Amino acid sequence: MARINEHYRNLQAGYLFPEIGRRVGAFAQAHPDAAIIRLGIGDVTLPLARAVVDALHAAVDEMARPETFRGYGPENGYDFLLDAIREHDYGARGVEVSADEIFVSDGSKQDSGNIQEIFGSDCSLLVTDPVYPVYVDTNVMAGRAGAADDSGRHAGITYLPANEANAFTPGPPDERVDLAYLCSPNNPTGAAMDRKTLTAWVDWARAHDAVILFDAAYDAFIRDPELPRSIYEVEGARECAIEMRSFSKRAGFTGVRCAYTVVPAACTGTTASGERVPLRDLWARRHTTRFNGVPYIIQRAAAAVFSPEGRKQTAEQVAFYMENARRIREGLGAAGFTVFAGEHAPYIWMRTPDGLGSWEFFYRLLAEAHVVGTPGSGFGPSGEGFFRISAFNSRENVDEAIGRIRGAFGS
Ligand code: MLT
């Protein structure tokens, strides 16, 4: 008899976004004439940039010729992509990262879910709440979190509330934990951490010998050049932080799949006997064992994001979504909704109107405005009473959705 992994029984019924998809699908089936606008999952809608498409075509042609065909690639990624990442994502901001600290992968969702594997099963962990559900669910699967109580909190996780009082960017706690997940700009709240707060986190991690797992998947949406885009802009972070970045949102790669994780050589964990071990070596071992690399053509497409045309074209895409975010923020704000963020992220975090519960508002918005958003409580207990609206859609749909929301619920 094959016993199952019992820890899976501690998970919430379904992963948030397929669950929303299922509920919207049921509504659509019952109301076939409803023109539903989806501002739920943060999935890009603009086609790939011209520079990316051209690079893909050229790479496919290379694969068609015997002299340029490629099979397995280097495990960490091709040098042309590693060099571009080092120069543009780090060097341009005064950060030194070496090629053997970068691991190209097929997504930050996977990386942020898989990274916990290199840590002991008894490591304590902390998340800010609300939180991208992958961090919690993967630790539940691994047995670090235990069962959830009625509020949805797992016994083995420290939840640090992100709320209006701390501008949705909580600083470090007083106690120590082994692993702390941070995401900035934040999914779901859209809040971006300033340098002071990030520095406080790095100082805390160094003082407590903790490791920060820093998800920077939305860094390209930061508008203020003073805000840090990488945790390595903070002194000392190389000793205590692992960073994940993605091409999904910055360059429309949600269906293409390419991301990377940086594990600095100086970032270490300890063995049971207290010996220091570089986490990079463990991640390299895992990466090469479980993964055969991102396809050559996809890495060429990712490298094209850093070409002069690619940078210009993808910046225009980001600007397009950020104009959507501005319209949602200002449009709903003017109609009496309490809205947060959306200035450095493609997400608007709002309080549900009339004290409605997050799911209650989800159903009413769907039924009365035919608009889909994401219930804040799906991201954790502190998300109850909040709602996330994504700025990823056409201008026409965004404007139409704002009008419908205002019509159904605005003052
Ligand atoms: C979201 O909507 O939160 C994101 O699309 C999830 C993801 O990037 O996996």
Side-chain angles (χ1 to χ4, degrees):
M1 185 170 39
R3 288 268 318 272
I4 63 154
N5 176 348
E6 288 286 331
H7 303 310
Y8 274 60
R9 293 161 68 84
N10 290 329
L11 291 165
Q12 311 286 331
Y15 184 63
L16 179 61
F17 293 105
E19 186 60 30
I20 289 171
R22 198 182 58 71
R23 296 182 195 202
V24 174
F27 179 86
Q29 208 167 18
H31 304 86
D33 296 333
I36 297 172
I37 298 177
R38 288 174 169 77
L39 303 177
I41 189 163
D43 195 4
V44 293
T45 53
L46 291 171
L48 292 171
R50 190 69 244 166
V52 170
V53 173
D54 289 345
L56 275 168
H57 281 301
V60 168
D61 287 343
E62 281 186 75
M63 294 296 272
R65 289 192 294 271
E67 63 279 16
T68 47
F69 170 78
R70 285 170 169 83
Y72 293 128
E75 284 95 4
N76 284 22
Y78 285 95
D79 281 343
F80 61 77
L81 179 54
L82 300 177
D83 290 345
I85 290 169
R86 291 175 61 211
E87 178 184 345
H88 296 284
D89 279 354
Y90 292 105
R93 296 195 59 95
V95 174
E96 181 73 31
V97 168
S98 63
D100 61 1
E101 296 174 322
I102 304 173
F103 298 83
V104 174
S105 77
D106 59 348
S108 279
K109 179 177 183 175
Q110 290 88 314
D111 285 355
S112 64
N114 292 333
I115 195 74
Q116 48 77 28
E117 268 189 38
I118 65 170
F119 296 98
S121 56
D122 55 352
C123 278
S124 54
L125 56 120
L126 173 150
V127 296
T128 56
D129 171 30
V131 63
Y132 182 41
V134 169
Y135 315 152
V136 169
D137 285 2
T138 52
N139 278 288
V140 172
M141 291 170 178
R144 274 187 208 93
D149 64 16
D150 289 346
S151 73
R153 288 184 178 83
H154 292 268
I157 299 180
T158 299
Y159 292 81
L160 202 57
N163 49 35
E164 237 179 306
N166 54 34
F168 299 97
T169 53
D174 294 331
E175 73 258 40
R176 81 162 302 282
V177 293
D178 297 311
L179 303 173
Y181 287 85
L182 297 180
C183 176
S184 180
N186 188 267
N187 180 13
T189 68
M193 250 189 250
D194 61 19
R195 197 169 295 273
K196 190 164 163 247
T197 310
L198 197 54
T199 303
W201 275 102
V202 169
D203 292 347
W204 167 88
R206 292 173 77 198
H208 293 285
D209 205 6
V211 174
I212 295 174
L213 304 169
F214 190 73
D215 184 347
Y218 297 91
D219 75 288
F221 295 84
I222 292 176
R223 309 284 84 190
D224 179 351
E226 292 305 313
L227 291 174
R229 285 182 167 217
S230 162
I231 195 166
Y232 304 124
E233 291 177 41
V234 174
E235 204 188 320
R238 285 180 55 84
E239 289 161 33
C240 64
I242 291 173
E243 177 164 288
M244 289 153 269
R245 296 229 204 165
S246 172
F247 293 90
S248 283
K249 315 291 159 94
R250 79 194 276 182
F253 273 46
T254 52
V256 177
R257 310 306 305 156
C258 194
Y260 66 88
T261 287
V262 175
V263 191
C267 190
T268 58
T270 52
T271 64
S273 59
E275 185 194 343
R276 291 256 159 211
V277 175
L279 296 173
R280 181 190 60 176
D281 298 353
L282 298 186
W283 186 245
R285 184 70 172 83
R286 186 207 176 276
H287 200 68
T288 49
T289 304
R290 292 198 191 256
F291 191 57
N292 260 335
V294 173
Y296 172 73
I297 56 175
I298 304 299
Q299 292 196 50
R300 278 289 179 202
V305 171
F306 297 109
S307 67
E309 312 76 49
R311 293 214 306 277
K312 181 170 171 294
Q313 292 161 7
T314 53
E316 283 165 6
Q317 295 181 334
V318 167
F320 176 84
Y321 294 128
M322 291 310 284
E323 169 61 14
N324 282 351
R326 187 192 65 78
R327 288 173 183 235
I328 298 168
R329 195 176 64 243
E330 292 179 5
L332 296 186
F337 292 92
T338 308
V339 289
F340 307 97
E343 275 148 357
H344 305 292
Y347 297 127
I348 283 78
W349 189 241
M350 61 184 274
R351 196 181 286 293
T352 55
D354 308 325
L356 292 172
S358 297
W359 277 107
E360 218 180 331
F361 183 57
F362 169 87
Y363 283 119
R364 285 202 39 197
L365 194 62
L366 184 57
E368 294 170 35
H370 300 165
V371 172
V372 181
T374 309
S377 57
F379 296 101
S382 297
E384 183 52 84
F386 290 89
F387 203 73
R388 192 191 78 176
I389 307 264
S390 157
F392 292 114
N393 214 311
S394 65
R395 188 81 80 231
E396 194 189 357
N397 279 350
V398 162
D399 287 343
E400 170 71 19
I402 297 167
R404 288 194 205 167
I405 300 172
R406 290 175 68 141
F409 296 95
S411 53

